[in-house]
Amino acid sequence: MNWLKNVWYVAGFSRELDGGQVVDRRFLDTPVVMLRHSDGRVAALEDLCPHRLMPLSAGTRVGDELQCGYHGMRFRIDGLCTLAPGQTHMPSQACVRSFPLSEKHGLLWIWLGDAGRADVDLIPDIRWNDHPDWTPSRGYHHVKANFRLAVDNLMDLGHESWVHLRTIGQGHEECIPNYPVKVSIEGEGLLKAHREMPDIDAPPFFAMVLNHSGPINRWQTAISLAPSICMTDFGVYPVGTSADDAYRSHVCHLLTPETEESSHYFWSVARNKRLDDETLTQDVCEAITQTFDEDTEVLEIQQAQIKKLGGAVPRVALKVDEAPIRTRRLLDALIKREQEDPTFVYRPALMVDDATPALQMELTRR
């Protein structure tokens, strides 16, 4: 299966392991069970008892160990067997594969490749998920589609005018593809596609967050960081006001392949305004959930069509496909290097800085 292996993938939100919870998920078609030790360490094991292949997640947690629900074998968080009922000798093969698991920015990060290369300094910078200057609304979608289709969707924001008219999309007269996009490679594995949309009608979501129904100025930058993290950096502000006071949001789309035909979609929508407004936090969460429900429906239809008809998309490339196609090529090149060069280490570039909106817009015009 064509995945980049030696890289950190988002495995969940840190809070999911609080209170002794055990979480089981499949990543890159590998079953994994995760838990937090009583001393605070987080751990990830292959969700498979080596005896008769029962998932450990189907058993129980006993203290800081996982007990298989079939014959009671117990395993520490490093995968070593501590108990085989009915015998004192532990077979040398009675162990479970462990995976590096780390916490950063309120997220769980898992490394499914060569464990010896799992450098925590290579974890991407998603600081807005738990930064005091930003307030996030968070959520999760399970998508029955290949993660590359989801990345395509996020790097081609032109679809908003048809898929998201009830939330973030412009009407047909101001459809997003009519505004030119500037696509640029900013670093290893990093691509940006930037649009500016001056003096437009406010879509429902932006009218809500601005509490303003008149014309607005809008910019949005779709960012892709290989292999499967995207971010939509957008800003909106009423016409006649300053971009320096824009409502700005970093929408982090944290995709992790589950299988060839399904994906985990963790998301965090961090804003720079009304940070203590809990009602707004919930309203944003509900609106974004609706938005991503709309995306999910389209992605799952595409996946079903590809399975039925074969081939790949796009069958006919349009201008809006420039960023998705270039993003796929970046990832393919990284996968090829990893497969051909045993010394290659992918070092993800920084996703975006926090320059003021006015400065960002000025820079993109140069």
Side-chain angles (χ1 to χ4, degrees), residues 48-352:
L48 194 68
C49 179
H51 177 218
R52 289 190 173 270
L53 308 184
M54 282 289 289
L56 293 176
S57 59
T60 57
R61 176 172 179 161
V62 180
D64 285 324
E65 298 179 343
L66 294 178
Q67 177 175 279
C68 178
Y70 194 6
H71 289 90
M73 293 181 71
R74 292 184 189 176
F75 300 90
R76 302 188 323 201
I77 62 170
D78 59 5
L80 293 180
C81 180
T82 63
L83 176 66
Q87 62 186 72
T88 58
H89 172 70
M90 301 299 123
S92 60
Q93 294 182 330
C95 57
V96 180
R97 182 184 177 191
S98 64
F99 303 96
L101 188 70
S102 189
E103 292 182 279
K104 191 172 183 179
H105 309 308
L107 298 163
L108 298 167
W109 299 85
I110 192 167
W111 184 281
L112 295 152
D114 180 355
R117 297 188 175 193
D119 182 352
V120 294
D121 290 337
L122 298 180
I123 294 177
D125 183 359
I126 315 292
R127 60 186 179 275
W128 308 280
N129 184 56
D130 66 346
H131 194 283
D133 293 338
W134 299 82
T135 293
S137 300
R138 306 183 184 97
Y140 169 83
H141 278 66
H142 181 261
V143 183
K144 296 177 183 177
N146 186 284
F147 79 98
R148 288 179 183 247
L149 291 177
V151 173
D152 287 349
N153 178 72
L154 294 165
M155 295 307 293
D156 160 30
L157 297 177
H159 73 273
E160 292 178 3
S161 297
W162 289 269
V163 177
H164 301 307
L165 277 178
R166 294 180 297 170
T167 51
I168 59 175
Q170 302 297 142
H172 293 179
E173 293 183 2
E174 295 178 333
C175 71
I176 291 173
N178 287 342
Y179 297 88
V181 60
K182 178 183 177 182
V183 180
S184 58
I185 295 176
E186 302 288 331
E188 189 167 35
L190 179 66
L191 184 141
K192 297 182 181 180
H194 180 81
R195 275 192 176 92
E196 295 175 17
M197 291 161 280
D199 196 12
I200 59 175
D201 293 332
F205 176 79
F206 299 116
M208 176 192 73
V209 298
L210 287 173
N211 194 24
H212 170 82
S213 58
I216 63 171
N217 296 318
R218 173 182 180 184
W219 84 84
Q220 60 185 31
T221 306
I223 304 167
S224 173
L225 183 65
S228 56
I229 290 177
C230 294
M231 187 167 76
T232 308
D233 174 24
F234 75 78
V236 290
Y237 56 101
V239 170
T241 65
S242 171
D244 289 325
D245 197 38
Y247 176 101
R248 188 178 182 186
S249 185
H250 291 313
V251 187
C252 296
H253 314 273
L254 312 172
L255 294 154
T256 299
E258 181 183 51
T259 68
E260 281 286 338
E261 297 182 355
S262 60
S263 306
H264 299 288
Y265 187 171
F266 307 97
W267 49 267
S268 175
V269 183
R271 66 179 187 272
N272 68 335
K273 300 288 186 182
R274 298 161 61 185
L275 302 183
D276 297 324
D277 189 336
E278 181 59 30
T279 298
L280 179 59
T281 298
Q282 293 303 316
D283 288 344
V284 170
C285 190
E286 291 175 9
I288 295 300
T289 297
Q290 178 183 354
T291 301
F292 294 165
D293 283 346
E294 294 164 345
D295 283 320
T296 298
E297 181 178 358
V298 170
L299 295 172
E300 292 183 349
I301 290 173
Q302 281 190 86
Q303 182 66 56
Q305 289 290 84
I306 291 171
K307 185 174 183 179
K308 176 182 177 182
L309 302 174
V313 292
R315 291 195 173 184
V316 177
L318 305 177
K319 287 185 177 180
V320 294
D321 294 308
E322 179 186 0
I325 289 173
R326 292 179 68 179
T327 297
R328 282 186 177 239
R329 289 173 179 169
L330 279 178
L331 178 56
D332 287 341
L334 289 170
I335 292 173
K336 183 178 180 181
R337 288 185 66 185
E338 181 179 83
Q339 292 173 344
E340 295 180 350
D341 182 0
T343 67
F344 171 65
V345 177
Y346 168 49
R347 298 186 177 278
L350 181 68
M351 289 194 69
V352 69

